[in-house]
């Protein structure tokens, strides 16, 4: 998707169940002009791009009948989906009758609805869908890639980026979940964004964020680091870190102002060389997959300080340069 400025919009999405209501949300960020947009809604009829984004992260889940319950489960499943105006997302699956495929929370919501309508819990199966065919080499690579990403095992910080709709209750839950030593009043006075905690593994941070009941108010940003031989960072964390800095920071008058798509580390390094103004012996390349940004670090291994960080977006436009002391 493209922003009105012509830059690419990057999306993050999620869903949840609160008080029996299925809810979903998505945020869009333009790496070129910085504009951010948020949308949310209720009902399990998700927009396709949002559903694909969630299932790509957590896998596809299914709801189907247990052994001997195909008829009653298929009837209830069809009725509930018809009431939700979604009659076309079930399919035959041998003796199991109709099967529903969706996100984890869609499946859990549907399972609860069927139980409320009289279906015995033991007559239902709600689980992540398993592959039913023999995987070839490319299938295995794709399957592993969809479920394992070194980015999910990085460490970083959790930020409070906006107030919960019910401030007192929401902040209390956040405080309890993350075991904060500060009071809710301190959070209110501190302003946004506020660092809730740091040095958490991403999957742990995401689970805790969901546990608070207001994950849309929290955001995970990773530290600049290396995992599985590759470098990762969060541009949002960089912007927050240098927000008040004036010296050693260059925010304009860059050489790279014409778009040139950057897809590999080699392309990022070559593009960043035109911005480098120091002598160096070594380089490292890091990537922010969330905001589609690149960081190229120029440095001399035997020297303290004197490095230079060049930050570019995926279109090759330089956005920030930081000079090390």
């Amino acid at each position: 998707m493209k922003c009105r400025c012509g830059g690419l919009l990057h999306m993050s999405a999620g869903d949840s169940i609160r008080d029996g209501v299925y809810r979903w949300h998505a945020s869009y960020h333009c790496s070129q002009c910085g504009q951010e947009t948020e949308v949310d809604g209720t009902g399990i009829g998700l927009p396709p791009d949002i559903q694909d984004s969630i299932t790509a992260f957590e896998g596809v889940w299914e709801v189907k009948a247990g052994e001997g319950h195909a008829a009653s489960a298929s009837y209830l499943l069809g009725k509930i989906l018809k009431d939700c105006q979604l009659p076309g997302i079930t399919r035959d699956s041998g003796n199991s009758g109709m099967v529903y495929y969706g996100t984890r929370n869609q499946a859990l919501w549907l399972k609860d609805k069927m139980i409320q309508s009289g279906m015995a819990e033991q007559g239902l199966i709600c689980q992540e869908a398993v592959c039913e065919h023999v995987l070839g080499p490319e299938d295995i690579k794709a399957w592993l890639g969809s479920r394992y990403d070194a980015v999910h095992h990085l460490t970083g910080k959790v930020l409070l980026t906006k107030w919960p709709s019910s401030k007192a209750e929401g902040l209390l839950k956040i405080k309890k979940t993350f075991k904060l030593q500060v009071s809710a009043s301190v959070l209110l006075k501190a302003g946004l964004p506020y660092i809730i905690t740091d040095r958490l593994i991403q999957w742990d941070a995401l689970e805790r964020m969901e546990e608070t009941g207001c994950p849309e108010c929290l955001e995970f940003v990773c530290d600049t680091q290396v995992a599985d031989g590759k470098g990762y960072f969060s541009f949002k964390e960089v912007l927050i870190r240098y927000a008040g800095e004036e010296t050693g920071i260059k925010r304009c008058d860059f050489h790279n102002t014409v778009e040139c798509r950057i897809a590999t580390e080699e392309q990022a390094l070559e593009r960043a060389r035109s911005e480098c103004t120091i002598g160096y012996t070594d380089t490292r390349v890091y990537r922010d997959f969330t905001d589609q940004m690149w960081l190229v670090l120029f440095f001399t291994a035997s020297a303290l300080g004197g490095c230079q960080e060049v930050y570019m977006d995926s279109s090759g436009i330089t956005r920030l340069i930081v000079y090390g002391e």
Side-chain angles (χ1 to χ4, degrees):
M1 296 177 63
K2 283 201 169 185
C3 179
R4 286 178 293 182
C5 73
L8 289 177
L9 283 175
H10 308 289
M11 180 186 72
S12 60
D15 61 349
S16 61
I17 304 171
R18 302 181 198 170
D19 300 323
V21 178
Y22 176 84
R23 303 175 184 274
W24 55 267
H25 64 273
S27 59
Y28 300 85
H29 173 78
C30 177
S31 59
Q32 184 162 305
C33 69
Q35 180 176 336
E36 296 191 354
T37 306
E38 295 186 0
V39 295
D40 54 37
T42 58
I44 63 172
L46 287 177
D49 57 335
I50 294 178
Q51 178 138 355
D52 290 344
S53 175
I54 298 173
T55 55
F57 177 75
E58 64 183 19
V60 176
W61 281 61
E62 63 183 3
V63 178
K64 61 183 180 180
E67 187 176 353
H69 296 271
S72 55
S74 294
Y75 169 77
L76 276 179
L77 189 56
K79 184 177 184 302
I80 293 172
L81 291 175
K82 185 176 181 181
D83 291 341
C84 296
Q85 298 182 335
L86 292 170
I89 54 177
T90 60
R91 61 188 173 121
D92 290 323
S93 179
N95 296 326
S96 296
M98 305 300 284
V99 182
Y100 170 84
Y101 295 92
T103 71
R104 176 178 180 273
N105 281 320
Q106 283 176 322
L108 291 173
W109 181 88
L110 189 55
K111 174 188 172 184
D112 287 343
K113 283 292 181 184
M114 294 176 73
I115 292 173
Q116 291 171 18
S117 298
M119 187 77 194
E121 184 171 1
Q122 59 268 30
L124 289 172
I125 296 174
C126 179
Q127 62 186 15
E128 185 173 4
V130 295
C131 189
E132 297 179 351
H133 65 279
V134 178
L135 296 175
E138 290 303 315
D139 293 321
I140 292 174
K141 182 178 178 182
W143 185 84
L144 289 174
S146 68
R147 285 162 175 74
Y148 175 76
D149 191 330
V151 173
H152 300 156
H153 296 265
L154 296 174
T155 60
K157 303 175 176 69
V158 174
L159 306 179
L160 178 66
T161 57
K162 68 178 182 180
W163 304 121
S165 55
S166 176
K167 278 188 182 180
E169 183 180 346
L171 291 176
L172 186 63
K173 183 64 175 175
I174 290 172
K175 180 178 182 296
K176 181 179 179 182
T177 302
F178 286 95
K179 299 179 173 58
L180 302 183
Q181 301 302 310
V182 299
S183 66
S185 60
V186 171
L187 292 178
L188 288 170
K189 294 175 183 177
L192 301 176
Y194 181 84
I195 297 176
I196 295 296
T197 186
D198 58 10
R199 309 309 297 175
L200 275 181
I201 296 176
Q202 181 169 0
W203 61 263
D204 184 21
L206 294 176
E207 283 188 356
R208 295 198 201 185
M209 288 162 60
E210 191 67 31
E211 187 181 332
T212 64
C214 45
E216 70 281 358
C217 300
L218 301 167
E219 184 170 354
F220 176 87
V221 294
C222 72
D223 301 302
T224 304
Q225 59 194 275
V226 175
D228 286 2
K230 295 186 178 181
Y232 300 95
F233 78 105
S234 166
F235 191 56
K236 286 189 177 69
E237 194 266 344
V238 170
L239 293 177
I240 293 170
R241 187 196 317 161
Y242 296 121
E245 296 288 335
E246 297 296 336
T247 59
I249 306 291
K250 186 176 181 180
R251 306 181 192 275
C252 58
D253 300 325
F254 301 121
H255 292 289
N256 297 328
T257 57
V258 178
E259 290 191 3
C260 176
R261 185 173 179 272
I262 305 298
T264 67
E265 293 185 9
E266 291 75 16
Q267 291 173 339
L269 176 58
E270 188 59 33
R271 181 76 167 173
R273 290 187 199 276
S274 63
E275 301 285 8
C276 184
T277 57
I278 66 169
Y280 63 91
T281 62
D282 297 271
T283 61
R284 286 182 185 167
V285 181
Y286 299 83
R287 192 170 185 181
D288 177 349
F289 285 92
T290 302
D291 288 333
Q292 295 298 304
M293 295 291 295
W294 292 91
L295 158 60
V296 180
L297 173 64
F298 297 92
F299 66 102
T300 297
S302 59
L304 293 175
C307 59
Q308 185 174 351
E309 301 170 6
V310 178
Y311 296 88
M312 299 180 299
D313 61 27
S314 58
S315 62
I317 306 297
T318 302
R319 299 300 177 187
L320 183 72
I321 295 178
V322 178
Y323 302 90
E325 297 180 355

